[in-house]
């Protein structure tokens, strides 16, 4: 649905060139919620503004819903007729709402429809339907100054949907909101994604946003995408930096020098299996659980457990193979050179501790 190839954007300031994007390749599938995450200055906002050509790339291509936008005539300040028509199929939600204070909520939603020349009765009907969709039908006659931050963002979302877009772009839409309101806006975006079949591309600097609503994600750094893919694939990859950020286990213990420490990732069907107790019974070994956590990421139950097996890696080749045969992602962290003074998290003998962890009860 959204594809960029070799996208670059270079700004010139005081005779000096600054590269905001450096060869960005992005592929967002139809119907998914895709998040781009990174620190300030990574190039996230420039990327999303290039997707709808609010910023025209220095080089590279942007294709949305089969239309190569970068091939259409026009400039950043003056778009051609074809580009304007293509943009109407792309909704945009901004961080700071951008509502007109002199217009009512309904009139703000009607504004894009007014610009396209839709008659007044049709505008009013369409705006009413959209306000009902975002849960603000009772605020149609209110003014932006009478709304909370979350309500203003819902108006912004309704306005972005006025052209019946297939794609919705969200540029840090929740960064100015409190946590509870953020959760409600993210839930709304997910509902719209499912009800309307919208493809959603959102920009954020918060891992919790990626975790709660996205199907796929990309990590940006220095104007480049350094890692990207479906969350389920990333979580199954031990080397994934994004997965480590989404689901950190750094606070858990690292084991004894004479043991083998494993990090086990389980998701979907495997999350309900008592694999640790089965492993202990099958191979007659004692296992220390150094830490575990279960979370819902992208609507899917995902768990990680760090355990310690007695003996060296070589001594545990068969038990490790058994775990992998169960469909689990197993990463060998190895033995530490020195044991930590204390262990954080749950350190428990297998038989007394693993059943509670496998049922989602985390110490």
């Amino acid at each position: 649905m959204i594809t960029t190839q070799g996208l670059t954007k270079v700004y010139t300031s005081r005779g000096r060139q600054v590269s905001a994007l450096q060869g960005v390749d992005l592929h967002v599938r139809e119907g998914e919620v895709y998040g781009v995450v990174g620190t300030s200055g990574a190039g996230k906002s420039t990327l999303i503004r290039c997707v709808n050509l609010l910023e025209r790339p220095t080089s590279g291509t942007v294709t949305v819903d089969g239309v190569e936008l970068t091939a259409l005539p026009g400039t950043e300040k003056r778009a051609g007729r074809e580009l304007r028509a293509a943009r109407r199929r792309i909704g945009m939600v901004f961080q700071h709402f951008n509502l007109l204070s002199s217009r009512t909520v309904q009139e703000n939603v009607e504004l894009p429809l007014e610009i396209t020349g839709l008659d007044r009765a049709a505008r009013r009907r369409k705006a009413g339907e959209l306000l009902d969709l975002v849960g603000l039908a009772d605020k149609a006659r209110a003014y932006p100054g009478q709304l909370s931050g979350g309500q203003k963002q819902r108006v912004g979302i309704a306005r972005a949907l006025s052209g019946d877009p297939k794609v919705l772009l969200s540029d840090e839409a929740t960064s100015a909101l409190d946590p509870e309101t953020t959760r409600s806006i993210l839930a709304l975006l997910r509902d719209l994604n499912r009800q309307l079949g919208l493809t959603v591309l959102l920009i954020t600097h918060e891992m919790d946003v990626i975790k709660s609503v996205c199907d796929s994600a990309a990590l940006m750094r220095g104007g480049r995408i350094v890692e990207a893919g479906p969350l389920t694939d990333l979580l199954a990859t031990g080397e994934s930096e994004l997965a480590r950020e989404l689901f950190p286990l750094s606070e858990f213990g690292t084991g004894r020098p004479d043991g083998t420490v494993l990090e086990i990732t389980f998701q979907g069907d495997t999350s309900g299996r008592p694999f640790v107790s089965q492993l202990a019974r099958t191979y007659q070994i004692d296992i220390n659980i150094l830490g575990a956590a279960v979370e819902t990421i992208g609507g899917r139950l995902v768990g990680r457990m760090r355990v310690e097996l007695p003996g060296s890696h070589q001594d545990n080749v068969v038990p490790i193979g058994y775990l992998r045969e169960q469909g689990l992602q197993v990463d060998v962290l190895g033995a530490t050179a020195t044991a930590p003074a204390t262990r954080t998290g749950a350190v428990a003998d297998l038989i007394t501790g693993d059943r509670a962890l496998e049922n989602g009860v985390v110490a």
Side-chain angles (χ1 to χ4, degrees):
M1 179 58 78
I2 302 173
T3 302
T4 71
Q5 292 184 326
L7 206 63
T8 68
K9 179 63 179 179
V10 179
Y11 295 99
T12 301
S13 175
R14 298 179 181 178
R16 180 169 164 265
Q17 291 190 330
V18 178
S19 294
L21 299 177
Q22 303 184 53
V24 173
D25 295 331
L26 180 72
H27 179 66
V28 181
R29 297 170 298 179
E30 183 176 1
E32 74 174 342
V33 179
Y34 195 108
V36 178
V37 65
T39 57
S40 296
K44 308 182 302 297
S45 291
T46 301
L47 172 60
I48 203 169
R49 290 174 65 83
C50 283
V51 167
N52 63 0
L53 260 63
L54 287 177
E55 297 272 1
R56 186 166 281 272
T58 303
S59 64
T61 63
V62 177
T63 303
V64 179
D65 194 22
V67 178
E68 187 181 329
L69 302 186
T70 41
L72 301 179
T75 65
E76 292 175 352
K77 294 183 178 179
R78 188 175 182 84
R81 179 176 56 83
E82 292 175 299
L83 180 54
R84 289 198 303 271
R87 278 179 176 165
R88 284 197 288 270
R89 305 293 288 172
I90 305 172
M92 183 81 171
V93 183
F94 300 91
Q95 176 182 354
H96 296 297
F97 321 129
N98 293 342
L99 302 179
L100 297 178
S101 59
S102 61
R103 283 179 171 246
T104 66
V105 165
Q106 173 138 349
E107 290 168 344
N108 268 279
V109 177
E110 286 184 27
L111 181 59
L113 301 172
E114 184 179 332
I115 293 171
T116 60
L118 196 66
D119 67 78
R120 183 176 182 181
R123 292 199 310 265
R124 292 177 64 85
R125 182 171 61 252
K126 181 69 173 180
E129 291 171 357
L130 291 172
L131 288 172
D132 186 53
L133 185 64
V134 300
L136 287 181
D138 61 331
K139 299 293 184 181
R141 296 184 179 181
Y143 286 87
Q146 298 171 300
L147 304 180
S148 67
Q151 290 170 332
K152 290 177 183 177
Q153 196 55 279
R154 286 174 182 266
V155 177
I157 292 171
R159 182 183 56 191
L161 296 176
S162 61
D164 297 320
K166 291 187 176 181
V167 170
L168 184 65
L169 308 180
S170 169
D171 187 8
E172 299 274 13
T174 61
S175 63
L177 305 176
D178 63 79
E180 184 176 351
T181 305
T182 291
R183 285 191 291 271
S184 71
I185 293 297
L186 292 176
L188 174 61
L189 290 176
R190 174 53 90 178
D191 287 344
L192 294 173
N193 160 255
R194 291 169 176 161
Q195 291 178 37
L196 305 179
L198 278 175
T199 300
V200 181
L201 174 61
L202 60 86
I203 297 299
T204 184
H205 62 273
E206 300 173 276
M207 281 294 174
D208 282 345
V209 171
I210 301 293
K211 184 186 299 185
S212 63
V213 75
C214 292
D215 302 303
S216 299
L219 174 63
M220 284 197 76
R221 184 180 297 125
R224 302 178 186 273
I225 289 181
V226 297
E227 186 178 18
L231 293 189
T232 51
D233 293 350
L234 294 172
L235 289 165
T237 304
E239 307 82 42
S240 169
E241 184 178 345
L242 257 176
R244 297 284 171 179
E245 291 290 334
L246 287 168
F247 208 149
L249 286 183
S250 58
E251 72 274 17
F252 296 149
T254 52
R256 299 185 299 264
D258 58 347
T260 299
V261 177
L262 308 178
E263 196 165 283
I264 304 168
T265 302
F266 48 94
Q267 51 185 311
D269 295 338
T270 59
S271 61
R273 299 177 189 170
F275 54 85
V276 179
S277 57
Q278 289 174 354
L279 177 68
R281 287 195 298 267
T282 301
Y283 296 100
Q284 297 295 302
I285 54 176
D286 294 327
I287 303 174
N288 275 346
I289 297 173
L290 302 176
V294 179
E295 292 199 42
T296 300
I297 299 178
R300 186 181 178 89
L301 189 66
V302 178
R304 272 211 177 135
M305 182 180 292
R306 188 171 292 173
V307 301
E308 179 186 45
L309 308 184
S312 67
H313 183 194
Q314 186 175 356
D315 296 332
N316 289 292
V317 169
V318 174
I320 292 170
Y322 169 84
L323 290 172
R324 288 174 174 158
E325 288 174 359
Q326 308 309 305
L328 303 167
Q329 171 69 32
V330 182
D331 297 303
V332 181
L333 303 185
T336 55
T338 58
T342 59
R343 291 180 183 172
T344 59
V347 183
D349 182 77
L350 161 74
I351 303 301
T352 59
D354 75 309
R355 181 68 62 182
L357 290 162
E358 288 161 3
N359 286 323
V361 180
V362 182

